[in-house]
PDB file of all heavy atoms in Angstrom:
ATOM      1  N   ALA A  42      -4.848  13.166  18.642  1.00 96.00           N
ATOM      2  CA  ALA A  42      -5.200  14.162  17.631  1.00 96.00           C
ATOM      3  C   ALA A  42      -4.635  15.568  18.041  1.00 96.00           C
ATOM      4  O   ALA A  42      -4.108  16.254  17.172  1.00 96.00           O
ATOM      5  CB  ALA A  42      -6.676  14.239  17.356  1.00 96.00           C
ATOM      6  N   LEU A  43      -4.859  15.893  19.315  1.00 97.00           N
ATOM      7  CA  LEU A  43      -4.455  17.189  19.741  1.00 97.00           C
ATOM      8  C   LEU A  43      -2.874  17.326  19.752  1.00 97.00           C
ATOM      9  O   LEU A  43      -2.332  18.276  19.259  1.00 97.00           O
ATOM     10  CB  LEU A  43      -4.896  17.496  21.231  1.00 97.00           C
ATOM     11  CG  LEU A  43      -6.411  17.697  21.315  1.00 97.00           C
ATOM     12  CD1 LEU A  43      -6.747  17.714  22.891  1.00 97.00           C
ATOM     13  CD2 LEU A  43      -6.835  18.947  20.706  1.00 97.00           C
ATOM     14  N   LEU A  44      -2.278  16.241  20.151  1.00 95.00           N
ATOM     15  CA  LEU A  44      -0.753  16.346  20.207  1.00 95.00           C
ATOM     16  C   LEU A  44      -0.034  16.198  18.847  1.00 95.00           C
ATOM     17  O   LEU A  44       0.913  16.882  18.625  1.00 95.00           O
ATOM     18  CB  LEU A  44      -0.204  15.194  21.181  1.00 95.00           C
ATOM     19  CG  LEU A  44      -0.597  15.260  22.675  1.00 95.00           C
ATOM     20  CD1 LEU A  44      -0.071  14.074  23.403  1.00 95.00           C
ATOM     21  CD2 LEU A  44      -0.080  16.550  23.251  1.00 95.00           C
ATOM     22  N   LEU A  45      -0.638  15.284  18.040  1.00 92.00           N
ATOM     23  CA  LEU A  45       0.106  14.981  16.764  1.00 92.00           C
ATOM     24  C   LEU A  45      -0.462  15.772  15.631  1.00 92.00           C
ATOM     25  O   LEU A  45       0.293  16.247  14.747  1.00 92.00           O
ATOM     26  CB  LEU A  45      -0.021  13.528  16.517  1.00 92.00           C
ATOM     27  CG  LEU A  45       0.590  12.617  17.571  1.00 92.00           C
ATOM     28  CD1 LEU A  45       0.427  11.148  17.398  1.00 92.00           C
ATOM     29  CD2 LEU A  45       2.074  12.902  17.782  1.00 92.00           C
ATOM     30  N   SER A  46      -1.821  15.916  15.510  1.00 93.00           N
ATOM     31  CA  SER A  46      -2.376  16.633  14.359  1.00 93.00           C
ATOM     32  C   SER A  46      -2.429  18.157  14.572  1.00 93.00           C
ATOM     33  O   SER A  46      -2.002  18.910  13.721  1.00 93.00           O
ATOM     34  CB  SER A  46      -3.827  16.121  14.099  1.00 93.00           C
ATOM     35  OG  SER A  46      -3.787  14.763  13.683  1.00 93.00           O
ATOM     36  N   GLU A  47      -2.855  18.483  15.787  1.00 94.00           N
ATOM     37  CA  GLU A  47      -3.015  19.950  16.076  1.00 94.00           C
ATOM     38  C   GLU A  47      -1.632  20.489  16.621  1.00 94.00           C
ATOM     39  O   GLU A  47      -1.519  21.657  16.790  1.00 94.00           O
ATOM     40  CB  GLU A  47      -4.050  20.111  17.117  1.00 94.00           C
ATOM     41  CG  GLU A  47      -5.408  19.649  16.684  1.00 94.00           C
ATOM     42  CD  GLU A  47      -5.957  20.498  15.466  1.00 94.00           C
ATOM     43  OE1 GLU A  47      -5.682  21.636  15.360  1.00 94.00           O
ATOM     44  OE2 GLU A  47      -6.619  19.823  14.683  1.00 94.00           O
ATOM     45  N   GLU A  48      -0.691  19.617  16.889  1.00 94.00           N
ATOM     46  CA  GLU A  48       0.663  19.971  17.416  1.00 94.00           C
ATOM     47  C   GLU A  48       0.590  20.809  18.635  1.00 94.00           C
ATOM     48  O   GLU A  48       1.342  21.716  18.829  1.00 94.00           O
ATOM     49  CB  GLU A  48       1.461  20.635  16.292  1.00 94.00           C
ATOM     50  CG  GLU A  48       1.639  19.777  15.090  1.00 94.00           C
ATOM     51  CD  GLU A  48       2.453  20.471  14.028  1.00 94.00           C
ATOM     52  OE1 GLU A  48       2.988  21.632  14.185  1.00 94.00           O
ATOM     53  OE2 GLU A  48       2.662  19.776  12.910  1.00 94.00           O
ATOM     54  N   LEU A  49      -0.327  20.485  19.550  1.00 96.00           N
ATOM     55  CA  LEU A  49      -0.365  21.165  20.869  1.00 96.00           C
ATOM     56  C   LEU A  49       0.598  20.472  21.789  1.00 96.00           C
ATOM     57  O   LEU A  49       0.964  19.319  21.672  1.00 96.00           O
ATOM     58  CB  LEU A  49      -1.787  21.058  21.412  1.00 96.00           C
ATOM     59  CG  LEU A  49      -2.909  21.770  20.757  1.00 96.00           C
ATOM     60  CD1 LEU A  49      -4.186  21.578  21.472  1.00 96.00           C
ATOM     61  CD2 LEU A  49      -2.653  23.175  20.438  1.00 96.00           C
ATOM     62  N   GLY A  50       1.070  21.209  22.753  1.00 96.00           N
ATOM     63  CA  GLY A  50       1.890  20.657  23.849  1.00 96.00           C
ATOM     64  C   GLY A  50       1.012  20.049  24.895  1.00 96.00           C
ATOM     65  O   GLY A  50      -0.215  20.204  24.842  1.00 96.00           O
ATOM     66  N   HIS A  51       1.652  19.421  25.818  1.00 95.00           N
ATOM     67  CA  HIS A  51       0.822  18.758  26.888  1.00 95.00           C
ATOM     68  C   HIS A  51       0.021  19.702  27.725  1.00 95.00           C
ATOM     69  O   HIS A  51      -1.191  19.447  28.040  1.00 95.00           O
ATOM     70  CB  HIS A  51       1.723  17.964  27.875  1.00 95.00           C
ATOM     71  CG  HIS A  51       2.167  16.653  27.322  1.00 95.00           C
ATOM     72  ND1 HIS A  51       2.930  15.786  27.999  1.00 95.00           N
ATOM     73  CD2 HIS A  51       1.874  16.059  26.113  1.00 95.00           C
ATOM     74  CE1 HIS A  51       3.150  14.722  27.265  1.00 95.00           C
ATOM     75  NE2 HIS A  51       2.569  14.881  26.125  1.00 95.00           N
ATOM     76  N   LYS A  52       0.551  20.942  27.945  1.00 97.00           N
ATOM     77  CA  LYS A  52      -0.236  21.896  28.744  1.00 97.00           C
ATOM     78  C   LYS A  52      -1.457  22.369  27.961  1.00 97.00           C
ATOM     79  O   LYS A  52      -2.526  22.525  28.530  1.00 97.00           O
ATOM     80  CB  LYS A  52       0.628  23.099  29.156  1.00 97.00           C
ATOM     81  CG  LYS A  52       1.633  22.796  30.195  1.00 97.00           C
ATOM     82  CD  LYS A  52       2.489  24.015  30.546  1.00 97.00           C
ATOM     83  CE  LYS A  52       3.498  23.671  31.578  1.00 97.00           C
ATOM     84  NZ  LYS A  52       4.382  24.818  31.926  1.00 97.00           N
ATOM     85  N   GLU A  53      -1.205  22.657  26.689  1.00 97.00           N
ATOM     86  CA  GLU A  53      -2.349  23.082  25.914  1.00 97.00           C
ATOM     87  C   GLU A  53      -3.419  22.022  25.711  1.00 97.00           C
ATOM     88  O   GLU A  53      -4.622  22.298  25.817  1.00 97.00           O
ATOM     89  CB  GLU A  53      -1.860  23.652  24.545  1.00 97.00           C
ATOM     90  CG  GLU A  53      -0.977  24.824  24.529  1.00 97.00           C
ATOM     91  CD  GLU A  53       0.519  24.436  24.790  1.00 97.00           C
ATOM     92  OE1 GLU A  53       0.863  23.339  24.864  1.00 97.00           O
ATOM     93  OE2 GLU A  53       1.360  25.425  24.872  1.00 97.00           O
ATOM     94  N   ALA A  54      -3.009  20.834  25.536  1.00 97.00           N
ATOM     95  CA  ALA A  54      -3.937  19.701  25.340  1.00 97.00           C
ATOM     96  C   ALA A  54      -4.708  19.467  26.647  1.00 97.00           C
ATOM     97  O   ALA A  54      -5.881  19.203  26.627  1.00 97.00           O
ATOM     98  CB  ALA A  54      -3.193  18.379  24.940  1.00 97.00           C
TER      99      ALA A  54
END
Side-chain angles (χ1 to χ4, degrees):
L43 291 171
L44 296 176
L45 303 174
S46 296
E47 301 296 325
E48 298 182 3
L49 297 181
H51 281 182
K52 288 182 182 179
E53 294 86 3

